[in-house]
Amino acid sequence: RDLLLVGRLRFQEDGGAMVSMNSIEYTGMPADPQYVRGNFVEGGYIVRPKPRTNNEFTITWMGCFDPRGWVPTFVANMLAPQQGLTLARVKHFL
């Protein structure tokens, strides 16, 4: 699968943030005919500071994805729980 996303970042007054993402069509990045371009309908992260802490946050992820084609159930069941861990994978870059 292939995805082309746009994201928006909004900081909140309480120190939290919201990241909203969805798929887009962009002529400068056409779909590769070797792949099916999925549709990330809507989703993102909500980041909220934990009360009475300085550097701790609660992060909530949600998303609605249309793979635009059949995906074997065992593959969907294997990958779905991992999607919320995407942010943890980039921790070493921060």
Side-chain angles (χ1 to χ4, degrees):
R1 299 282 185 240
D2 166 70
L3 284 172
L4 181 58
L5 302 174
V6 64
R8 296 162 211 71
L9 173 63
R10 179 177 178 178
F11 292 100
Q12 304 294 307
E13 290 183 16
D14 67 355
M18 294 184 351
V19 180
S20 174
M21 297 176 285
N22 62 282
S23 287
I24 62 168
E25 296 292 329
Y26 175 58
T27 56
M29 182 78 58
D32 185 328
Q34 293 181 341
Y35 299 97
V36 173
R37 180 161 280 176
N39 180 29
F40 191 77
V41 179
E42 190 172 13
Y45 296 95
I46 299 172
V47 181
R48 291 280 178 236
K50 286 189 174 182
R52 299 173 297 282
T53 65
N54 290 329
N55 294 320
E56 293 184 26
F57 297 85
T58 299
I59 301 173
T60 304
W61 180 89
M62 71 80 152
C64 178
F65 176 68
D66 174 6
R68 290 190 173 158
W70 182 74
V71 175
T73 303
F74 81 93
V75 172
N77 290 340
M78 179 179 63
L79 296 177
Q82 298 175 26
Q83 299 312 300
L85 300 175
T86 303
L87 192 60
R89 292 184 188 113
V90 299
K91 184 178 179 179
H92 69 277
F93 293 110
L94 304 175

